[in-house]
């Protein structure tokens, strides 16, 4: 009968509900940890950027570093490093970011040169391969970012930039916006800049030693690596947020059935 056939999937629905609810609770815990880590890193990044601004705008020297401007003979190429998730079940977190990045590259004027993509995260690499894209996969876990991974990837990308392989390097990742949504972000990473606004009285009352340019050559690579790490943390917070939302929706759908 129709009644008996309608009752058949009920045990499976209950099992599915238990699974989705458990995954939601796990995502909530990881989301809180990711947001806390991101907030602490954001405070450190703000202070680090103020130090860099003082060095750049202090006067008396060139205010230039190997990372603050592209090499004179740099190739006319732009690299976009896409930070995706390692897993699915988080809505359009991965596909939306890849689509926006692809559209951004397609809209660039011919004078900007060729555009290339590299990925951090398994889903981005899978998406690229399924579309036949030639992409570099750094094979970095992104659900729980580790600083040593940011150091490894950051140093490799900085070396390629200094060698003139790229004129610009961008980071593409998702950030959380209210209410419980994510927004794709494309942020220029290299040439590195701490901020567009000139710091007022940047070097007033400070004695800087060794020379400002020497300090910039030492600090800017570390600041750029931390910016990459902050982007990884921001993406992780967005991933766990969207997985929580997706699993909550799946649990409510199971309840309605």
């Amino acid at each position: 009968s129709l009644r008996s056939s309608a009752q058949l999937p009920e045990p499976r629905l209950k099992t599915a509900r238990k699974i989705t609810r458990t995954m939601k609770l796990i995502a909530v815990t990881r989301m809180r940890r990711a947001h806390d880590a991101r907030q602490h890193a954001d405070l450190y990044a703000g202070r680090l950027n103020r130090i860099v601004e003082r060095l750049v705008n202090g006067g008396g020297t060139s205010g230039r570093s190997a990372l603050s401007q592209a090499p004179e003979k740099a190739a006319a190429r732009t690299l976009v490093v896409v930070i995706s998730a390692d897993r699915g079940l988080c809505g359009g977190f991965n596909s939306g970011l890849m689509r926006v990045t692809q559209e951004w590259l397609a809209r660039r004027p011919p004078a900007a040169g060729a555009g290339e993509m590299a990925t951090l995260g398994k889903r981005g690499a899978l998406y690229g391969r399924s579309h036949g894209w030639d992409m570099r996969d750094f094979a970095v876990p992104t659900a729980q970012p580790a600083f040593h991974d940011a150091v490894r990837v950051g140093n490799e990308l900085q070396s390629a930039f200094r060698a003139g392989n790229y004129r610009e390097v961008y980071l593409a990742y998702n950030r959380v916006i209210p209410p419980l949504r994510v927004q794709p972000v494309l942020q220029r990473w290299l040439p590195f800049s701490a901020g567009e606004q000139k710091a007022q009285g940047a070097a007033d009352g400070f004695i800087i030693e060794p020379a400002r340019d020497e300090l910039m050559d030492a600090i800017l690579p570390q600041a750029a690596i931390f910016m990459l790490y902050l982007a990884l943390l921001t993406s992780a917070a967005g991933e766990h947020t969207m997985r929580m939302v997706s699993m909550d929706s799946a649990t409510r759908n199971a309840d309605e059935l």
Side-chain angles (χ1 to χ4, degrees):
S1 65
L2 290 176
R3 180 177 179 180
S4 61
S5 63
Q7 290 176 345
L8 283 176
E10 185 174 346
R12 294 183 180 179
L13 287 174
K14 288 183 178 180
T15 301
R17 184 190 181 281
K18 289 180 181 179
I19 294 173
T20 56
R21 185 174 183 275
T22 301
M23 293 182 67
K24 172 193 170 184
L25 295 176
I26 294 173
V28 168
T29 301
R30 291 179 176 176
M31 179 192 71
R32 290 172 179 169
R33 291 176 181 172
H35 278 286
D36 287 344
R38 197 266 177 198
Q39 289 175 357
H40 285 96
D42 200 30
L43 291 174
Y44 181 83
R47 294 175 182 177
L48 183 59
N49 281 343
R50 285 195 292 272
I51 293 174
V52 174
E53 286 175 355
R54 289 181 184 277
L55 293 174
V56 172
N57 301 312
T61 55
S62 65
R64 294 290 183 181
S65 165
L67 294 183
S68 64
Q69 57 184 347
E72 292 183 3
K73 297 182 180 180
R77 292 192 296 175
T78 297
L79 176 67
V80 180
V81 181
V82 183
I83 303 174
S84 66
D86 287 328
R87 299 167 52 207
L89 300 177
C90 47
F93 181 87
N94 298 300
S95 59
L97 176 63
M98 298 299 291
R99 184 174 60 253
V100 168
T101 304
Q102 184 184 18
E103 292 173 353
W104 182 84
L105 286 171
R107 289 196 306 267
R108 296 169 67 252
E116 298 180 12
M117 295 173 65
T119 59
L120 303 176
K122 294 179 181 178
R123 287 291 167 170
L126 288 173
Y127 187 95
R129 284 197 292 268
S130 67
H131 287 72
W133 300 343
D134 184 16
M135 300 171 58
R136 167 75 186 277
D137 178 19
F138 284 98
V140 170
T142 55
Q144 298 180 25
F147 185 69
H148 62 82
D149 286 328
V151 171
R152 176 176 63 84
V153 175
N155 285 335
E156 186 172 340
L157 291 174
Q158 288 179 25
S159 296
F161 177 77
R162 291 192 188 97
N165 295 340
Y166 304 104
R167 183 179 295 170
E168 291 181 312
V169 180
Y170 282 79
L171 302 178
Y173 58 95
N174 285 305
R175 67 178 178 186
V176 179
I177 59 173
L180 295 178
R181 294 187 296 122
V182 292
Q183 180 184 55
V185 175
L186 275 118
Q187 178 182 22
R188 195 183 77 172
W189 187 58
L190 296 176
F192 183 81
S193 174
E196 300 297 331
Q197 299 299 323
K198 183 174 181 178
Q200 298 297 322
D204 293 347
F206 286 88
I207 298 175
I208 298 177
E209 190 173 332
R212 183 174 283 107
D213 285 350
E214 186 177 345
L215 279 175
M216 285 184 61
D217 287 337
I219 292 178
L220 255 61
Q222 304 303 318
I225 287 174
F226 197 82
M227 180 188 288
L228 173 60
Y229 180 57
L230 181 61
L232 283 164
L233 292 174
T234 302
S235 176
E239 175 190 346
H240 297 310
T241 298
M242 294 309 297
R243 185 166 291 114
M244 179 199 69
V245 171
S246 296
M247 293 302 99
D248 179 64
S249 177
T251 302
R252 287 188 282 105
N253 289 340
D255 288 335
E256 292 176 2
L257 293 175

